[in-house]
Amino acid sequence: MVSEESFDEWYNEIVEKAGLCDKRYPIKGMNVWLPYGWNLMQNIDAIIREEMNKTGHDEVCFPLLIPESFFKREEEHIKGFSQEVFWVTHAGKNELEEKMLLRPTSETAMYPMFSLWIRSHADLPLKIFQIVNTFRYETKMTKAFIRVREIHFFEAHTAHESYEDAEKQVREDIEIAKRFFKKLALPVIFSRRPDWDKFAGAEYSIGIDVLMPSLRSLQVGSVHQYRQNFSKAFDIKYEGLDGKHYYCHQTTYGMSERVLGAIIGIHGDEKGVVIPSSIAPIKVVIIPIIFKGHEEEVMQECKKVEKELNAMGINSMVDERDKTPGNKFYDWELKGIPLRIEIGPRDIQKNVVIMVARDGVRKEIEREELKKIEEELKEFDARLYKKAEEFLMKNMHRTEKLERKEGVIELPWCGKEECGNEMEERLDMKSLGIPLEKEEVNATCPICGSKAITWLRLAKSY
Ligand code: ZN
């Protein structure tokens, strides 16, 4: 892991050096996805698509533009986003009769359609998702994959008969998120956001955060319970079994390329990025160790190993470039390929290959037991997770005193907004919210001294 002090500088450099994005595009906060970065993002999307399919969500694709009248229907929502919206006002030289906006998120595009689609209880639950670009005019300093103005966005939207059904959906989303982030070797923290920081229009929001090596938290996902706030604004009603009409209960679940930002930040080291095998486009790179007189033999063996690994479903590639092995190691370490295999004349004679994982674990593997590589990849991902989890645990502090610590701190809290705000101010940290699981707290609020009802998590955040 990269050290706290050098992290931000390292991060800003590595995203370009490793071929993930090009920041020279002349619009701030809008970078060009390079092939490697885009490939990784597509593989992350593939995991979320698989999860969505498993849980009965259908993929849709809504228009990018939203008419102003749609956007204005939910008051809290407009307040929350009004400063960040990009407007389209002209078509050629002509001013549009009605202004349109680039979606900052898609509630106000989707829900007028929901009101047409949903007629009876038989249409429920409605569970859809899309992976599209959204646009938000960020005023803070932009950062590749972390704070951008054109966002690669995943959003799931659901509608249900009852509040309890919507609550079940929230619980399902949390389970999806747990599986998803585990696959990416990212330990995450779920917190119910305080009311003053919930999503615009939500009844409550659950934030999913990671802790970056800079000891600042990064929100990588969120789940929102809307209750009937949007269905009332957009007239989304269904006919119940009793023939009466009811407003739907709704939820959403959102994530973005920040997930990739978290992978780069948390797993990376001084040599470059480190990619879990679950999303690595190339899982194994094979490096021929050429000695004079053995060129043909070594190259043939490398090709054979490549073919066998690919046949096992392990994407592999021989690096045939005219460079020294050392230079090749450097390049692939920079890109974070999980495993490399080295094959030289002596290995062929011994009937082995040398495997070196990106985290330094080195093993000799019998040639006949090449299928062990599959297990090695899993172990590699497990080691990444464990290391990241240890880092998170080490930097989460439960304390009763109001004192600043690096990382995430949990303080006893009475639940009053003014006390929460004062903690934020005095610690110069932002509250992430409270743990999802209820627990007894035998401590007092450090601000007002009354009995605490929960723990409030605070951190410096991106
Ligand atoms: Zn208090």
Side-chain angles (χ1 to χ4, degrees):
M1 203 170 274
V2 182
S3 75
E4 185 195 338
E5 300 75 35
S6 55
F7 176 74
D8 282 304
E9 198 184 325
W10 170 89
Y11 182 91
N12 291 338
E13 275 177 28
I14 211 73
V15 292
E16 287 193 308
K17 265 173 125 179
L20 303 170
C21 71
D22 192 329
K23 292 185 281 192
R24 290 173 295 180
Y25 194 73
I27 300 179
K28 197 169 170 254
M30 295 187 186
N31 302 324
V32 179
W33 287 90
L34 294 176
Y36 187 48
W38 188 240
N39 215 325
L40 289 171
M41 195 64 232
Q42 297 288 304
N43 290 345
I44 293 170
D45 290 345
I47 298 178
I48 193 68
R49 279 199 171 91
E50 191 189 314
E51 281 293 340
M52 288 290 104
N53 288 336
K54 266 202 307 212
T55 49
H57 293 75
D58 291 316
E59 187 163 2
V60 296
C61 189
F62 269 71
L64 164 65
L65 293 175
I66 303 174
E68 184 180 24
S69 56
F70 279 19
F71 182 65
K72 282 194 161 164
R73 281 208 224 165
E74 213 287 330
E75 215 176 316
E76 287 299 314
H77 196 70
I78 318 166
K79 269 194 243 157
F81 281 104
S82 61
Q83 295 307 308
E84 298 182 2
V85 163
F86 285 94
W87 288 101
V88 176
T89 57
H90 286 76
K93 282 185 177 164
N94 301 323
E95 197 166 324
L96 295 171
E97 241 171 73
E98 182 179 4
K99 281 199 290 181
M100 295 184 279
L101 59 130
L102 304 186
R103 61 179 160 228
T105 168
S106 301
E107 281 74 5
T108 60
M110 289 181 170
Y111 298 168
M113 301 310 292
F114 278 24
S115 81
L116 301 174
W117 294 346
I118 297 169
R119 285 280 160 259
S120 88
H121 60 90
D123 299 322
L124 299 171
L126 179 73
K127 296 167 75 164
I128 60 161
F129 76 100
Q130 65 179 8
I131 300 176
V132 294
N133 290 10
T134 62
F135 296 80
R136 296 180 192 176
Y137 189 82
E138 281 287 354
T139 49
K140 290 189 198 163
M141 184 126 79
T142 57
K143 199 175 190 65
F145 309 121
I146 288 181
R147 194 171 289 284
V148 290
R149 291 178 176 170
E150 179 168 1
I151 306 163
H152 180 80
F153 197 54
F154 154 81
E155 51 183 328
H157 295 253
T158 67
H160 308 267
E161 285 183 53
S162 66
Y163 183 72
E164 191 34 54
D165 286 353
E167 284 290 282
K168 258 190 230 160
Q169 184 58 50
V170 167
R171 291 195 289 273
E172 181 180 69
D173 291 340
I174 291 168
E175 291 310 311
I176 292 170
K178 281 182 181 166
R179 291 193 295 267
F180 172 76
F181 286 106
K182 189 80 197 268
K183 271 196 186 149
L184 303 175
L186 292 176
V188 292
I189 316 165
F190 294 89
S191 311
R192 183 168 162 147
R193 291 279 189 256
D195 277 350
W196 62 87
D197 194 32
K198 66 186 183 184
F199 183 76
E203 190 202 33
Y204 69 82
S205 297
I206 292 170
I208 308 169
D209 301 286
V210 294
L211 188 64
M212 297 292 265
S214 53
L215 294 172
R216 290 163 81 179
S217 68
L218 175 71
Q219 176 170 327
V220 287
S222 51
V223 175
H224 309 290
Q225 163 65 273
Y226 289 163
R227 201 179 265 269
Q228 294 169 314
N229 295 349
F230 282 95
S231 65
K232 283 180 179 166
F234 288 91
D235 202 34
I236 310 171
K237 279 188 281 196
Y238 69 93
E239 189 180 328
L241 277 169
D242 57 6
K244 289 185 191 158
H245 288 85
Y246 300 94
Y247 288 109
C248 291
H249 289 259
Q250 293 177 270
T251 78
T252 58
Y253 173 15
M255 295 191 292
S256 73
E257 72 260 66
R258 278 189 167 195
V259 171
L260 179 56
I263 291 168
I264 297 162
I266 290 174
H267 300 316
D269 62 22
E270 296 304 333
K271 289 179 182 173
V273 298
V274 179
I275 303 300
S277 75
S278 55
I279 57 160
I282 302 167
K283 298 187 197 323
V284 179
V285 62
I286 303 155
I287 313 281
I289 309 293
I290 304 282
F291 282 83
K292 258 215 165 83
H294 294 276
E295 293 91 345
E296 190 72 356
E297 178 196 11
V298 168
M299 200 48 92
Q300 264 179 13
E301 174 70 354
C302 287
K303 291 274 182 192
K304 255 177 86 184
V305 168
E306 176 191 38
K307 210 173 152 194
E308 284 174 40
L309 288 171
N310 281 321
M312 290 174 211
I314 301 169
N315 280 353
S316 305
M317 197 194 92
V318 182
D319 186 347
E320 294 183 65
R321 292 176 304 163
D322 188 18
K323 280 185 158 190
T324 64
N327 282 328
K328 291 178 182 177
F329 298 167
Y330 175 88
D331 288 349
W332 296 111
E333 281 172 349
L334 179 61
K335 287 197 175 297
I337 300 303
L339 301 184
R340 78 165 182 253
I341 283 179
E342 304 167 12
I343 301 174
R346 257 173 296 167
D347 307 312
I348 298 174
Q349 224 167 32
K350 273 180 77 182
N351 222 14
V352 296
V353 299
I354 305 299
M355 176 216 90
V356 184
R358 177 60 179 78
D359 61 350
V361 171
R362 190 183 178 95
K363 280 181 188 172
E364 200 178 78
I365 291 182
E366 296 288 329
R367 183 64 181 80
E368 283 75 34
E369 298 192 316
L370 205 58
K371 61 177 182 302
K372 275 192 177 164
I373 291 293
E374 207 168 348
E375 206 47 48
E376 291 295 336
L377 287 166
K378 277 188 201 146
E379 281 176 24
F380 171 72
D381 288 0
R383 288 197 301 273
L384 290 188
Y385 184 83
K386 192 163 167 262
K387 197 171 154 208
E389 196 183 35
E390 280 166 7
F391 171 77
L392 175 63
M393 289 305 140
K394 198 179 85 191
N395 291 295
M396 272 187 89
H397 315 281
R398 190 165 272 198
T399 164
E400 291 179 23
K401 263 195 288 176
L402 193 71
E403 57 182 359
R404 175 102 189 263
K405 284 188 175 165
E406 299 279 17
V408 181
I409 62 171
E410 295 181 317
L411 283 170
W413 184 40
C414 63
K416 285 200 291 276
E417 181 166 341
E418 60 263 36
C419 289
N421 288 336
E422 198 169 331
M423 287 182 201
E424 287 187 333
E425 229 168 83
R426 283 171 56 180
L427 294 171
D428 190 24
M429 288 176 137
K430 217 173 105 27
S431 43
L432 302 179
I434 62 173
L436 300 188
E437 300 78 24
K438 285 220 160 63
E439 56 177 308
E440 195 68 38
V441 185
N442 289 313
T444 55
C445 172
I447 304 292
C448 70
S450 51
K451 185 170 168 25
I453 53 167
T454 183
W455 298 92
L456 185 63
R457 290 183 180 136
L458 298 110
K460 275 265 185 203
S461 59
Y462 280 100

